[in-house]
Amino acid sequence: MTDAGAGPTAGTQDGPVWRSRRTDRRSTRTVRVRTSAVLIAATALAVLLVPPVVQLDQQAVDLSAKLLPPSWEHPFGTDDVGRDLLLRCVYGLRVSLLVGVAAALTATVIGTAVGAFAGALGGWVDRVVMRLVDTFSSVPHLLLGIFIIALFRPGVWPVVISVALTHWLSTARIVRAEVLSLRSRPYIDAAVSGGASRWRVTVRHLLPGVLPHAALAAVLMIPHAMWHESALSFLGLGLPTHTASLGTLVQSARGSLLAGQWWPTLFPGLFIIVPTLAIAGLAGAWRERLNPRRRSELML
């Protein structure tokens, strides 16, 4: 009697617990998405509104005001030559976002083309292309990026080219996997049986099916590209030192940090971390809605 009554009681308890866990996950995801959206909106407002509102020249040197701590006049303080750090961080964020978005779009186009080509043709073409992708993937991104950027003069577009040419590999794998999955669908077989050429099937049916995944890969790539640009600039291999980039700001603040001035390092670092985490948070929620059962395949 006791055992017979225990079963329904346990089942009754398991149901609400399971629903509670699912509700908690949804609540956590909602909070994450809203927080990420607020941070991205704040970033966009800072980039758009701070330069015209703060009537200061971000390149103006004032040695009498060097390394001032945060105050009402200079909310982020000043750097080692008296330049306003708030403006410098905002302009640096502009440059980092430009590099991140341009590099992510370029890498996505390259990766989508290569992945769709390999997946649509299949056979020995697919094997050769993917072995080349594996070969390039075996080289560290930063090392390959340094080699590529060494071929150009320092500037924004060499950094974009360097980041793009080292970050298309994951997109190629994602697109190729989705193309192989779509090729097994009945409507693809029907199109082939109806006399559609391989080019027409690829353009009309396969590419539209992989575009959401390619777009998600591009969004996920933006934070990674921003970090990559910051690393190159920190090493002195990306943008010129006089250009306001988040990487160059952190690099130039190393001496100040050793002397006890924390603000020239803290605020550029926060401008790197916060927007990238916000973009990654929104992209992660999109990834879960797009393909909740195969989340790991969309990780870059």
Side-chain angles (χ1 to χ4, degrees):
M1 295 294 292
T2 304
D3 294 339
T9 303
T12 303
Q13 292 177 353
D14 289 343
V17 170
W18 180 78
R19 286 195 295 270
S20 177
R21 290 175 179 174
R22 184 176 62 178
T23 302
D24 290 343
R25 287 197 298 269
R26 288 180 178 176
S27 177
T28 302
R29 183 166 59 246
T30 301
V31 171
R32 184 182 64 193
V33 170
R34 290 179 178 176
T35 303
S36 300
V38 170
L39 291 176
I40 290 177
T43 300
L45 289 176
V47 169
L48 295 175
L49 298 181
V50 168
V53 170
V54 181
Q55 298 296 324
L56 294 174
D57 182 6
Q58 58 107 5
Q59 294 284 10
V61 175
D62 184 5
L63 295 179
S64 64
K66 66 178 183 179
L67 293 176
L68 293 178
S71 62
W72 286 109
E73 185 179 2
H74 302 285
F76 286 3
T78 60
D79 62 7
D80 56 349
V81 292
R83 293 174 295 194
D84 184 76
L85 268 179
L86 174 58
L87 274 181
R88 297 282 289 171
C89 289
V90 169
Y91 278 96
L93 181 59
R94 279 183 168 184
V95 173
S96 294
L97 284 174
L98 170 63
V99 172
V101 172
L105 291 177
T106 305
T108 300
V109 170
I110 297 173
T112 302
V114 173
F117 175 76
L121 293 182
W124 66 269
V125 175
D126 181 32
R127 291 193 293 271
V128 170
V129 171
M130 296 316 296
R131 294 298 78 77
L132 290 175
V133 170
D134 292 338
T135 301
F136 280 109
S137 298
S138 64
V139 182
H141 285 175
L142 187 59
L143 181 62
L144 184 58
I146 291 173
F147 173 77
I148 294 173
I149 207 169
L151 303 176
F152 304 93
R153 292 182 178 180
V156 172
W157 296 111
V159 176
V160 171
I161 294 172
S162 172
V163 176
L165 292 180
T166 55
H167 288 75
W168 59 271
L169 306 169
S170 298
T171 303
R173 288 197 183 95
I174 293 169
V175 171
R176 181 246 184 189
E178 290 300 323
V179 168
L180 293 179
S181 176
L182 290 175
R183 283 178 57 184
S184 62
R185 302 291 176 85
Y187 69 90
I188 299 296
D189 294 335
V192 173
S193 301
S197 64
R198 182 172 296 178
W199 171 257
R200 182 178 178 83
V201 169
T202 301
V203 174
R204 294 292 300 273
H205 301 288
L206 296 181
L207 279 180
V210 302
L211 283 182
H213 298 274
L216 175 57
V219 175
L220 284 168
M221 202 181 302
I222 292 175
H224 197 67
M226 292 176 63
W227 280 90
H228 202 80
E229 178 274 323
S230 298
L232 288 173
S233 298
F234 180 82
L235 295 174
L237 301 171
L239 301 177
T241 55
H242 66 273
T243 302
S245 164
L246 296 178
T248 58
L249 291 179
V250 175
Q251 193 274 341
S252 62
R254 289 183 300 172
S256 302
L257 182 63
L258 295 176
Q261 288 86 18
W262 49 267
W263 54 92
T265 304
L266 174 64
F267 293 113
L270 289 177
F271 267 65
I272 296 174
I273 295 172
V274 173
T276 55
L277 289 181
I279 296 172
L282 279 182
W286 182 10
R287 182 185 65 227
E288 293 175 8
R289 292 181 65 87
L290 182 64
N291 201 346
R293 294 186 177 181
R294 299 192 307 181
R295 299 171 188 173
S296 61
E297 294 182 9
L298 295 175
M299 291 298 293
L300 296 178

